[in-house]
Amino acid sequence: MSDEIVKIRDKVHEHSSRIAVNETNIKNIQTDVSGLEENAKKVVWIVITFVVVGVLTFVFKGGF
């Protein structure tokens, strides 16, 4: 009986360790995603800036 309890306790400990590792991995992924969101915002603003500058240059040089 006590051997079964020890096995169950060991299994619970093993699973709780895995859960802790998974939670850490999720936090790391969330940090990476927030960093990617910041980079995406920067890229969008750079693209918008180039498009606006290109359109203004085209208009002021008398395009078409």
Side-chain angles (χ1 to χ4, degrees):
M1 184 76 167
S2 65
D3 287 341
E4 291 179 25
I5 294 173
V6 169
K7 287 179 184 177
I8 292 171
R9 187 194 68 208
D10 290 346
K11 288 267 188 196
V12 168
H13 180 70
E14 180 184 338
H15 286 292
S16 65
S17 296
R18 287 181 185 174
I19 290 170
V21 168
N22 288 340
E23 288 174 348
T24 302
N25 288 342
I26 289 170
K27 287 177 186 171
N28 290 341
I29 291 169
Q30 288 172 337
T31 302
D32 292 345
V33 167
S34 66
L36 290 174
E37 287 174 350
E38 289 301 315
N39 288 343
K41 288 177 187 174
K42 290 176 186 174
V43 169
V44 167
W45 279 112
I46 290 171
V47 169
I48 289 172
T49 303
F50 275 108
V51 168
V52 169
V53 168
V55 167
L56 290 176
T57 302
F58 183 75
V59 167
F60 283 113
K61 285 191 172 184
F64 295 121

